[in-house]
Amino acid sequence: MKNAFMIAATGSGCGKTTITCALLKVLKDSGQVISAYKCGPDYIDPMFHKKVLGIPSQNLDLFFSDKQEIRDIFYHRENTDISVVEGVMGVYDGISVDCNEGSSYDLACALDIPIVLVVNARGMGRSLLAVIKGFQAMDEKHLIKAVILNQISPMYYKSISSQIENTLGITVLGYFPKCEDIKLESRYLGLMLPFEIDKLESDIQKAGDIISNSVDMEKLFTVSALDCRALAKQEMAQTATYQINFPIKKQCEKPFRIGIARDEAFCFYYEENLRTLENLGAELIAFSPLRDSKIPDNLDGLILGGGYPELFAEQLSSNKEMLISIQNALQRGVPSLAECGGFMYLHKGIKVEDKLYPMVGMIDGICEKKERLVRFGYLSIKEKNNSFIPCNTIGIKGHEFHHYDSTNNGCDAIAVKPDNIRTWEAAHISDTHWWGFAHLYYPSNMEFAVSFMDKCRRWRERHR
């Protein structure tokens, strides 16, 4: 890797994802080998990155992982020319208002990479200088190296850009003009999913064409260049550490067949979670609860990830064969993990606009939408009976981000907010399953993934 940078912003809604995807498109078309990342726990932005690049994007989260582990993930990729990290919210917005912890800036400091600040210039004149100067003033590590102005006319850009550079001494890479026909729309959990946006590929192509003409890519390469000698030494160290932190695949006669729900309704998965399971011997076999009639044959385990089952409630409910197939597997004791959308799917039903749609029925309860986010944010979870996680560990980290809630959230674990003040009971856990609303990050406690794979091994030994 010769270059790396973070696209951050002054706040949410400033155009980070649009500009990130446009830059990824231009870099890809220029023949660069790119690695993409997202700051924080968000699932949706990495899906847009993957749509552009055709390869997975990874999450980098300083609540889930410490700084050394984050560097291990970031620097271990081989044959990468340039790495692009998309920030979250405003550059300094993190876990608390009294520090930078968990923010985009915190991550940029941990990775030691430059920041390109996206500033929404709409409705501003010379005040732009004050905004940028304020962000510079809080930049103790001097990582903000350049800016891109969004929602600005070409004519005004020509006059204000020189003022910014001459007054503030910061590089202005270019701009993205007002363009109402390119818009990534949002819903209650963030952006619309890529497959929901009509003409997404043509929109990304158009955004890339605009960026290629309005942003100085040569300046971007100059700003994002890394010290080659220091980087080479760092990458060697990170690769060695990475092999220790993320175990090599266990030797087994054949991989464990793990069915994983992957379609429009169930599409929220951390790449590090999947890779961790594969390194432990899993063969992940995708199936669609929307379209398939049953789960894959001869499974050793089952995973139902997050997503938007409420958007497909009628279709999921009408696929009776799949509901019965999953129910039968779980009643037989096939080891299983279910979180958020997958957890909702296991209930007796999901209520959407006063209509109840029957689901798998393994959890005696229903899910329905609430007026606001429920238990939003980071958490750590400890089991009461140590079915997946040994009692001498600190639990596993995760986050919740949902508007739906259950009448039966489970009581087999204790969830704790980062401030250690708010706690609540959560999750349905037994010797064969872990089902709950929280999205879990397996590398935060590798014993969880090891335990799941061991349960899959024991299932195979008894039944196959």
Side-chain angles (χ1 to χ4, degrees), residues 147-177:
V147 297
I148 293 176
L149 304 179
N150 191 24
Q151 296 284 303
I152 190 171
S153 68
M155 183 179 298
Y156 182 56
Y157 171 77
K158 289 180 181 179
S159 59
I160 196 66
S161 58
S162 59
Q163 284 291 315
I164 293 171
E165 290 190 330
N166 294 335
T167 305
L168 304 180
I170 190 170
T171 300
V172 181
L173 294 176
Y175 68 99
F176 195 87

mmCIF file of all heavy atoms in Angstrom, residues 147-177:
data_model
loop_
_atom_site.group_PDB
_atom_site.id
_atom_site.type_symbol
_atom_site.label_atom_id
_atom_site.label_comp_id
_atom_site.label_asym_id
_atom_site.label_seq_id
_atom_site.Cartn_x
_atom_site.Cartn_y
_atom_site.Cartn_z
ATOM 1 N N VAL A 147 -9.477 19.447 1.781
ATOM 2 C CA VAL A 147 -10.932 19.517 1.838
ATOM 3 C C VAL A 147 -11.521 19.337 0.444
ATOM 4 O O VAL A 147 -10.879 19.627 -0.572
ATOM 5 C CB VAL A 147 -11.437 20.865 2.424
ATOM 6 C CG1 VAL A 147 -10.994 21.030 3.856
ATOM 7 C CG2 VAL A 147 -10.989 22.033 1.571
ATOM 8 N N ILE A 148 -12.745 18.820 0.425
ATOM 9 C CA ILE A 148 -13.577 18.786 -0.776
ATOM 10 C C ILE A 148 -14.869 19.508 -0.425
ATOM 11 O O ILE A 148 -15.500 19.198 0.598
ATOM 12 C CB ILE A 148 -13.876 17.353 -1.239
ATOM 13 C CG1 ILE A 148 -12.597 16.654 -1.714
ATOM 14 C CG2 ILE A 148 -14.915 17.350 -2.362
ATOM 15 C CD1 ILE A 148 -12.785 15.199 -2.089
ATOM 16 N N LEU A 149 -15.260 20.483 -1.233
ATOM 17 C CA LEU A 149 -16.471 21.244 -0.991
ATOM 18 C C LEU A 149 -17.640 20.596 -1.726
ATOM 19 O O LEU A 149 -17.558 20.336 -2.926
ATOM 20 C CB LEU A 149 -16.294 22.689 -1.447
ATOM 21 C CG LEU A 149 -15.105 23.444 -0.829
ATOM 22 C CD1 LEU A 149 -15.037 24.866 -1.377
ATOM 23 C CD2 LEU A 149 -15.190 23.453 0.692
ATOM 24 N N ASN A 150 -18.705 20.342 -0.998
ATOM 25 C CA ASN A 150 -19.886 19.703 -1.583
ATOM 26 C C ASN A 150 -21.021 20.710 -1.732
ATOM 27 O O ASN A 150 -21.097 21.703 -1.005
ATOM 28 C CB ASN A 150 -20.330 18.537 -0.691
ATOM 29 C CG ASN A 150 -21.373 17.662 -1.373
ATOM 30 O OD1 ASN A 150 -21.461 17.621 -2.593
ATOM 31 N ND2 ASN A 150 -22.157 16.945 -0.575
ATOM 32 N N GLN A 151 -21.893 20.461 -2.702
ATOM 33 C CA GLN A 151 -23.079 21.289 -2.921
ATOM 34 C C GLN A 151 -22.701 22.750 -3.215
ATOM 35 O O GLN A 151 -23.239 23.681 -2.606
ATOM 36 C CB GLN A 151 -23.999 21.226 -1.696
ATOM 37 C CG GLN A 151 -24.579 19.861 -1.404
ATOM 38 C CD GLN A 151 -25.709 19.491 -2.356
ATOM 39 O OE1 GLN A 151 -26.702 20.205 -2.469
ATOM 40 N NE2 GLN A 151 -25.563 18.377 -3.045
ATOM 41 N N ILE A 152 -21.777 22.927 -4.135
ATOM 42 C CA ILE A 152 -21.307 24.273 -4.450
ATOM 43 C C ILE A 152 -21.234 24.436 -5.968
ATOM 44 O O ILE A 152 -20.941 23.476 -6.699
ATOM 45 C CB ILE A 152 -19.913 24.519 -3.808
ATOM 46 C CG1 ILE A 152 -19.495 25.988 -3.911
ATOM 47 C CG2 ILE A 152 -18.859 23.601 -4.385
ATOM 48 C CD1 ILE A 152 -18.244 26.327 -3.120
ATOM 49 N N SER A 153 -21.497 25.626 -6.459
ATOM 50 C CA SER A 153 -21.457 25.874 -7.896
ATOM 51 C C SER A 153 -20.017 26.034 -8.369
ATOM 52 O O SER A 153 -19.153 26.491 -7.612
ATOM 53 C CB SER A 153 -22.235 27.137 -8.244
ATOM 54 O OG SER A 153 -21.568 28.283 -7.733
ATOM 55 N N PRO A 154 -19.726 25.652 -9.611
ATOM 56 C CA PRO A 154 -18.362 25.805 -10.143
ATOM 57 C C PRO A 154 -17.867 27.245 -10.068
ATOM 58 O O PRO A 154 -16.691 27.479 -9.755
ATOM 59 C CB PRO A 154 -18.502 25.335 -11.601
ATOM 60 C CG PRO A 154 -19.678 24.416 -11.591
ATOM 61 C CD PRO A 154 -20.619 24.981 -10.578
ATOM 62 N N MET A 155 -18.744 28.201 -10.325
ATOM 63 C CA MET A 155 -18.321 29.599 -10.322
ATOM 64 C C MET A 155 -17.897 30.051 -8.923
ATOM 65 O O MET A 155 -16.859 30.675 -8.741
ATOM 66 C CB MET A 155 -19.457 30.497 -10.840
ATOM 67 C CG MET A 155 -19.081 31.973 -10.929
ATOM 68 S SD MET A 155 -20.432 32.980 -11.579
ATOM 69 C CE MET A 155 -20.622 32.252 -13.222
ATOM 70 N N TYR A 156 -18.721 29.710 -7.929
ATOM 71 C CA TYR A 156 -18.383 30.126 -6.575
ATOM 72 C C TYR A 156 -17.151 29.376 -6.072
ATOM 73 O O TYR A 156 -16.336 29.920 -5.320
ATOM 74 C CB TYR A 156 -19.558 29.902 -5.628
ATOM 75 C CG TYR A 156 -19.263 30.371 -4.229
ATOM 76 C CD1 TYR A 156 -18.858 31.685 -3.992
ATOM 77 C CD2 TYR A 156 -19.359 29.505 -3.150
ATOM 78 C CE1 TYR A 156 -18.569 32.123 -2.722
ATOM 79 C CE2 TYR A 156 -19.068 29.939 -1.874
ATOM 80 C CZ TYR A 156 -18.671 31.243 -1.664
ATOM 81 O OH TYR A 156 -18.367 31.674 -0.396
ATOM 82 N N TYR A 157 -17.014 28.108 -6.491
ATOM 83 C CA TYR A 157 -15.839 27.324 -6.076
ATOM 84 C C TYR A 157 -14.543 28.017 -6.487
ATOM 85 O O TYR A 157 -13.578 28.067 -5.720
ATOM 86 C CB TYR A 157 -15.903 25.920 -6.679
ATOM 87 C CG TYR A 157 -14.608 25.154 -6.466
ATOM 88 C CD1 TYR A 157 -14.300 24.602 -5.238
ATOM 89 C CD2 TYR A 157 -13.680 25.022 -7.511
ATOM 90 C CE1 TYR A 157 -13.101 23.923 -5.035
ATOM 91 C CE2 TYR A 157 -12.497 24.350 -7.316
ATOM 92 C CZ TYR A 157 -12.213 23.800 -6.079
ATOM 93 O OH TYR A 157 -11.017 23.140 -5.876
ATOM 94 N N LYS A 158 -14.515 28.563 -7.698
ATOM 95 C CA LYS A 158 -13.286 29.193 -8.194
ATOM 96 C C LYS A 158 -12.846 30.347 -7.310
ATOM 97 O O LYS A 158 -11.644 30.553 -7.086
ATOM 98 C CB LYS A 158 -13.492 29.683 -9.632
ATOM 99 C CG LYS A 158 -13.590 28.570 -10.654
ATOM 100 C CD LYS A 158 -13.796 29.133 -12.065
ATOM 101 C CE LYS A 158 -13.916 28.007 -13.090
ATOM 102 N NZ LYS A 158 -14.137 28.546 -14.475
ATOM 103 N N SER A 159 -13.784 31.084 -6.777
ATOM 104 C CA SER A 159 -13.416 32.237 -5.958
ATOM 105 C C SER A 159 -13.116 31.855 -4.516
ATOM 106 O O SER A 159 -12.191 32.393 -3.900
ATOM 107 C CB SER A 159 -14.533 33.284 -5.999
ATOM 108 O OG SER A 159 -15.749 32.742 -5.526
ATOM 109 N N ILE A 160 -13.872 30.906 -3.952
ATOM 110 C CA ILE A 160 -13.692 30.587 -2.531
ATOM 111 C C ILE A 160 -12.513 29.658 -2.290
ATOM 112 O O ILE A 160 -11.879 29.700 -1.226
ATOM 113 C CB ILE A 160 -14.986 29.974 -1.929
ATOM 114 C CG1 ILE A 160 -14.943 30.010 -0.398
ATOM 115 C CG2 ILE A 160 -15.194 28.547 -2.425
ATOM 116 C CD1 ILE A 160 -14.956 31.372 0.199
ATOM 117 N N SER A 161 -12.173 28.779 -3.256
ATOM 118 C CA SER A 161 -11.104 27.800 -3.033
ATOM 119 C C SER A 161 -9.760 28.473 -2.790
ATOM 120 O O SER A 161 -8.989 28.060 -1.910
ATOM 121 C CB SER A 161 -11.006 26.827 -4.210
ATOM 122 O OG SER A 161 -10.761 27.521 -5.424
ATOM 123 N N SER A 162 -9.459 29.505 -3.559
ATOM 124 C CA SER A 162 -8.180 30.198 -3.361
ATOM 125 C C SER A 162 -8.149 30.913 -2.020
ATOM 126 O O SER A 162 -7.111 30.987 -1.357
ATOM 127 C CB SER A 162 -7.936 31.202 -4.501
ATOM 128 O OG SER A 162 -8.979 32.167 -4.560
ATOM 129 N N GLN A 163 -9.289 31.445 -1.596
ATOM 130 C CA GLN A 163 -9.371 32.087 -0.286
ATOM 131 C C GLN A 163 -9.079 31.085 0.825
ATOM 132 O O GLN A 163 -8.360 31.390 1.789
ATOM 133 C CB GLN A 163 -10.767 32.687 -0.081
ATOM 134 C CG GLN A 163 -11.017 33.966 -0.838
ATOM 135 C CD GLN A 163 -10.195 35.121 -0.292
ATOM 136 O OE1 GLN A 163 -10.109 35.323 0.914
ATOM 137 N NE2 GLN A 163 -9.558 35.858 -1.191
ATOM 138 N N ILE A 164 -9.616 29.892 0.706
ATOM 139 C CA ILE A 164 -9.397 28.845 1.717
ATOM 140 C C ILE A 164 -7.916 28.466 1.771
ATOM 141 O O ILE A 164 -7.313 28.392 2.851
ATOM 142 C CB ILE A 164 -10.270 27.611 1.412
ATOM 143 C CG1 ILE A 164 -11.754 27.958 1.588
ATOM 144 C CG2 ILE A 164 -9.891 26.438 2.310
ATOM 145 C CD1 ILE A 164 -12.696 26.877 1.111
ATOM 146 N N GLU A 165 -7.320 28.229 0.606
ATOM 147 C CA GLU A 165 -5.915 27.816 0.581
ATOM 148 C C GLU A 165 -4.997 28.918 1.087
ATOM 149 O O GLU A 165 -4.079 28.666 1.891
ATOM 150 C CB GLU A 165 -5.523 27.395 -0.835
ATOM 151 C CG GLU A 165 -6.173 26.085 -1.278
ATOM 152 C CD GLU A 165 -5.611 25.551 -2.577
ATOM 153 O OE1 GLU A 165 -5.168 26.363 -3.416
ATOM 154 O OE2 GLU A 165 -5.614 24.311 -2.754
ATOM 155 N N ASN A 166 -5.217 30.148 0.659
ATOM 156 C CA ASN A 166 -4.324 31.244 1.040
ATOM 157 C C ASN A 166 -4.477 31.634 2.499
ATOM 158 O O ASN A 166 -3.494 31.986 3.168
ATOM 159 C CB ASN A 166 -4.590 32.470 0.153
ATOM 160 C CG ASN A 166 -4.226 32.209 -1.302
ATOM 161 O OD1 ASN A 166 -3.390 31.359 -1.595
ATOM 162 N ND2 ASN A 166 -4.862 32.925 -2.208
ATOM 163 N N THR A 167 -5.702 31.562 3.005
ATOM 164 C CA THR A 167 -5.951 31.986 4.386
ATOM 165 C C THR A 167 -5.656 30.898 5.402
ATOM 166 O O THR A 167 -5.095 31.158 6.469
ATOM 167 C CB THR A 167 -7.421 32.441 4.548
ATOM 168 O OG1 THR A 167 -7.713 33.457 3.594
ATOM 169 C CG2 THR A 167 -7.680 32.958 5.954
ATOM 170 N N LEU A 168 -6.010 29.654 5.066
ATOM 171 C CA LEU A 168 -5.906 28.558 6.030
ATOM 172 C C LEU A 168 -4.740 27.626 5.774
ATOM 173 O O LEU A 168 -4.422 26.781 6.621
ATOM 174 C CB LEU A 168 -7.220 27.751 6.036
ATOM 175 C CG LEU A 168 -8.494 28.548 6.326
ATOM 176 C CD1 LEU A 168 -9.708 27.633 6.292
ATOM 177 C CD2 LEU A 168 -8.396 29.249 7.678
ATOM 178 N N GLY A 169 -4.112 27.727 4.620
ATOM 179 C CA GLY A 169 -2.963 26.877 4.322
ATOM 180 C C GLY A 169 -3.305 25.412 4.183
ATOM 181 O O GLY A 169 -2.500 24.540 4.520
ATOM 182 N N ILE A 170 -4.499 25.111 3.684
ATOM 183 C CA ILE A 170 -4.924 23.730 3.498
ATOM 184 C C ILE A 170 -5.233 23.506 2.022
ATOM 185 O O ILE A 170 -5.700 24.412 1.321
ATOM 186 C CB ILE A 170 -6.155 23.407 4.372
ATOM 187 C CG1 ILE A 170 -6.448 21.902 4.365
ATOM 188 C CG2 ILE A 170 -7.379 24.201 3.933
ATOM 189 C CD1 ILE A 170 -7.479 21.491 5.389
ATOM 190 N N THR A 171 -4.960 22.316 1.533
ATOM 191 C CA THR A 171 -5.200 21.988 0.128
ATOM 192 C C THR A 171 -6.688 21.809 -0.143
ATOM 193 O O THR A 171 -7.382 21.088 0.584
ATOM 194 C CB THR A 171 -4.465 20.681 -0.251
ATOM 195 O OG1 THR A 171 -3.064 20.851 -0.041
ATOM 196 C CG2 THR A 171 -4.722 20.312 -1.702
ATOM 197 N N VAL A 172 -7.174 22.466 -1.169
ATOM 198 C CA VAL A 172 -8.550 22.246 -1.620
ATOM 199 C C VAL A 172 -8.476 21.354 -2.854
ATOM 200 O O VAL A 172 -7.968 21.752 -3.899
ATOM 201 C CB VAL A 172 -9.251 23.576 -1.959
ATOM 202 C CG1 VAL A 172 -10.693 23.304 -2.406
ATOM 203 C CG2 VAL A 172 -9.240 24.507 -0.751
ATOM 204 N N LEU A 173 -8.961 20.126 -2.702
ATOM 205 C CA LEU A 173 -8.838 19.141 -3.788
ATOM 206 C C LEU A 173 -9.831 19.390 -4.916
ATOM 207 O O LEU A 173 -9.565 19.053 -6.068
ATOM 208 C CB LEU A 173 -9.041 17.730 -3.240
ATOM 209 C CG LEU A 173 -7.985 17.212 -2.268
ATOM 210 C CD1 LEU A 173 -8.390 15.832 -1.757
ATOM 211 C CD2 LEU A 173 -6.618 17.146 -2.939
ATOM 212 N N GLY A 174 -10.975 19.952 -4.580
ATOM 213 C CA GLY A 174 -11.994 20.150 -5.602
ATOM 214 C C GLY A 174 -13.363 20.246 -4.975
ATOM 215 O O GLY A 174 -13.507 20.565 -3.780
ATOM 216 N N TYR A 175 -14.370 19.912 -5.745
ATOM 217 C CA TYR A 175 -15.743 20.099 -5.277
ATOM 218 C C TYR A 175 -16.662 19.086 -5.930
ATOM 219 O O TYR A 175 -16.304 18.408 -6.903
ATOM 220 C CB TYR A 175 -16.220 21.512 -5.620
ATOM 221 C CG TYR A 175 -16.397 21.758 -7.111
ATOM 222 C CD1 TYR A 175 -17.650 21.691 -7.703
ATOM 223 C CD2 TYR A 175 -15.303 22.038 -7.924
ATOM 224 C CE1 TYR A 175 -17.820 21.905 -9.069
ATOM 225 C CE2 TYR A 175 -15.453 22.247 -9.283
ATOM 226 C CZ TYR A 175 -16.707 22.182 -9.849
ATOM 227 O OH TYR A 175 -16.872 22.383 -11.195
ATOM 228 N N PHE A 176 -17.855 18.971 -5.356
ATOM 229 C CA PHE A 176 -18.931 18.197 -5.965
ATOM 230 C C PHE A 176 -20.110 19.149 -6.097
ATOM 231 O O PHE A 176 -20.581 19.705 -5.099
ATOM 232 C CB PHE A 176 -19.314 16.995 -5.099
ATOM 233 C CG PHE A 176 -20.135 15.972 -5.823
ATOM 234 C CD1 PHE A 176 -19.531 14.966 -6.564
ATOM 235 C CD2 PHE A 176 -21.527 16.003 -5.785
ATOM 236 C CE1 PHE A 176 -20.283 14.020 -7.243
ATOM 237 C CE2 PHE A 176 -22.284 15.076 -6.458
ATOM 238 C CZ PHE A 176 -21.658 14.070 -7.189
ATOM 239 N N PRO A 177 -20.580 19.394 -7.312
ATOM 240 C CA PRO A 177 -21.612 20.423 -7.522
ATOM 241 C C PRO A 177 -22.984 19.994 -7.017
ATOM 242 O O PRO A 177 -23.214 18.822 -6.709
ATOM 243 C CB PRO A 177 -21.618 20.583 -9.046
ATOM 244 C CG PRO A 177 -21.199 19.245 -9.548
ATOM 245 C CD PRO A 177 -20.186 18.724 -8.564
#
